[in-house]
Amino acid sequence: MDVRLRDLMLGLRDLNLAGAPVLVHSSYKSLGPVEGGPETVVNALVTVFKTVIAPTFTYKTMITPLAGPDNNGITYGSQQDQNRMAEFYKPGMPADPRMGVISETVRRYPRAKRSCHPVLSLAGFNADKILVAQTLNDPLAPLDLLEKANGWVILLGVDHTVNTSIHYAVRITGRRQFIRWALTPRGVVECPGFPGCSAGFPALAPEMDKFARKVKIGEALVQAFPLKMLFKVVAGLIKKDPLALLCSREDCEECNAIRNQ
Ligand SMILES: [Zn+2]
């Protein structure tokens, strides 16, 4: 049977997050068929939660230059084909398909706003104060405000690999960030404070599990995590092992740049 608006609302209410703001990472397909499509999911989110934010990153603006700073987790001069396909950042650019259709639907939702980073924008409903905190130099600043507002991260049918808040949590422990570049109408813009690889983030799951609230909606497992605890757990893991949460891929340039610094 198709998932209906009521199923979504009941499920999301069962997470029991009261009026907390939420950052939602999602896979629409994980739910199974939904009556009314992704709009139904977003309607449920904005009905149940006062403030809803979703990632609307735009990777196709990214450019790899021929040269740049050392130990930056990147092979300069590679990706020339992608450079040729790169698109100028525009505020109305759709979110990368990897963000999922629910995120893109949040972006297009009436009265939703979007922050203005050329690669790492977020879109949100009733989230203006959190979104304006983002700057070119501090792309993850909204996560700080979200944590201070006792916010939660919701993973709807996805795992910690896509959990952007972990990037912020590792950054505030002092972990190296990178410089990347984006094509904009003003030319190629340097984007400092760029987070690294997230393939190792699922290693956090066993530690975070005790703070998770979980519901099943349709075929999807929906998990919510309080940001305050997420930040504490990440800080604890990195204190024990400064290389925690890096991935195990031998050729991962970003994780290796952190190991080699
Ligand atoms: Zn990696």
Side-chain angles (χ1 to χ4, degrees), residues 196-200 245-249 252-256 259:
C197 164
S198 61
L245 302 173
L246 297 180
C247 83
S248 51
R249 232 183 63 214
C252 178
E253 292 183 285
E254 292 177 334
C255 292
N256 287 339
R259 289 188 188 98

Side-chain angles (χ1 to χ4, degrees), residues 188-261:
V188 175
V189 167
E190 194 175 282
C191 304
F194 212 92
C197 164
S198 61
F201 288 178
L204 178 91
E207 290 263 4
M208 276 314 290
D209 213 46
K210 49 183 169 287
F211 306 109
R213 297 197 186 160
K214 302 183 189 189
V215 294
K216 192 97 193 279
I217 304 178
E219 291 162 27
L221 172 66
V222 183
Q223 305 183 82
F225 302 92
L227 274 175
K228 279 204 192 321
M229 292 319 301
L230 183 76
F231 288 11
K232 274 194 191 143
V233 167
V234 169
L237 285 176
I238 292 186
K239 199 172 171 195
K240 246 191 274 169
D241 171 12
L243 302 180
L245 302 173
L246 297 180
C247 83
S248 51
R249 232 183 63 214
E250 275 176 22
D251 61 347
C252 178
E253 292 183 285
E254 292 177 334
C255 292
N256 287 339
I258 290 163
R259 289 188 188 98
N260 297 337
Q261 65 189 344

Side-chain angles (χ1 to χ4, degrees), residues 1-258:
M1 208 169 70
D2 287 6
V3 175
R4 293 163 305 160
L5 180 65
R6 189 170 174 275
D7 304 321
L8 286 154
M9 286 176 54
L10 288 174
L12 294 171
R13 281 202 179 117
D14 277 348
L15 290 171
N16 234 334
L17 309 187
V22 294
L23 170 60
V24 184
H25 300 279
S26 55
S27 157
Y28 174 66
K29 282 194 191 126
S30 71
L31 290 158
V34 178
E35 192 177 277
E39 285 77 9
T40 304
V41 182
V42 178
N43 280 335
L45 285 166
V46 301
T47 307
V48 172
F49 304 111
K50 199 169 143 230
T51 292
V52 176
I53 299 172
T56 51
F57 301 172
T58 46
Y59 296 120
K60 60 186 174 186
T61 62
M62 292 180 81
I63 289 280
T64 304
L66 292 172
D70 288 341
N71 202 26
N72 190 27
I74 198 168
T75 303
Y76 295 110
S78 68
Q79 314 291 338
Q80 293 306 305
D81 286 344
Q82 274 177 36
N83 283 358
R84 274 190 283 277
M85 310 256 283
E87 290 181 26
F88 288 95
Y89 171 74
K90 290 189 299 273
M93 198 169 212
D96 190 278
R98 281 171 278 182
M99 300 296 111
V101 66
I102 295 173
S103 292
E104 170 61 7
T105 307
V106 169
R107 182 186 75 79
R108 295 199 319 258
Y109 198 81
R111 289 184 287 129
K113 299 261 176 67
R114 186 190 209 173
S115 64
C116 56
H117 193 283
V119 186
L120 301 173
S121 69
L122 303 165
F125 177 80
N126 197 25
D128 300 13
K129 274 191 196 143
I130 293 172
L131 297 179
V132 296
Q134 188 180 54
T135 64
L136 197 57
N137 288 316
D138 198 357
L140 301 178
L143 282 320
D144 176 51
L145 291 194
L146 203 58
E147 187 256 357
K148 290 193 169 92
N150 296 311
W152 289 67
V153 175
I154 294 179
L155 301 182
L156 190 164
V158 290
D159 69 16
H160 284 292
T161 317
V162 298
N163 188 346
T164 308
S165 304
I166 302 175
H167 285 301
Y168 182 75
V170 298
R171 197 203 87 182
I172 56 178
T173 69
R175 181 166 286 179
R176 179 191 190 86
Q177 305 288 290
F178 299 104
I179 296 173
R180 295 292 177 263
W181 291 265
L183 188 60
T184 78
R186 292 184 287 135
V188 175
V189 167
E190 194 175 282
C191 304
F194 212 92
C197 164
S198 61
F201 288 178
L204 178 91
E207 290 263 4
M208 276 314 290
D209 213 46
K210 49 183 169 287
F211 306 109
R213 297 197 186 160
K214 302 183 189 189
V215 294
K216 192 97 193 279
I217 304 178
E219 291 162 27
L221 172 66
V222 183
Q223 305 183 82
F225 302 92
L227 274 175
K228 279 204 192 321
M229 292 319 301
L230 183 76
F231 288 11
K232 274 194 191 143
V233 167
V234 169
L237 285 176
I238 292 186
K239 199 172 171 195
K240 246 191 274 169
D241 171 12
L243 302 180
L245 302 173
L246 297 180
C247 83
S248 51
R249 232 183 63 214
E250 275 176 22
D251 61 347
C252 178
E253 292 183 285
E254 292 177 334
C255 292
N256 287 339
I258 290 163

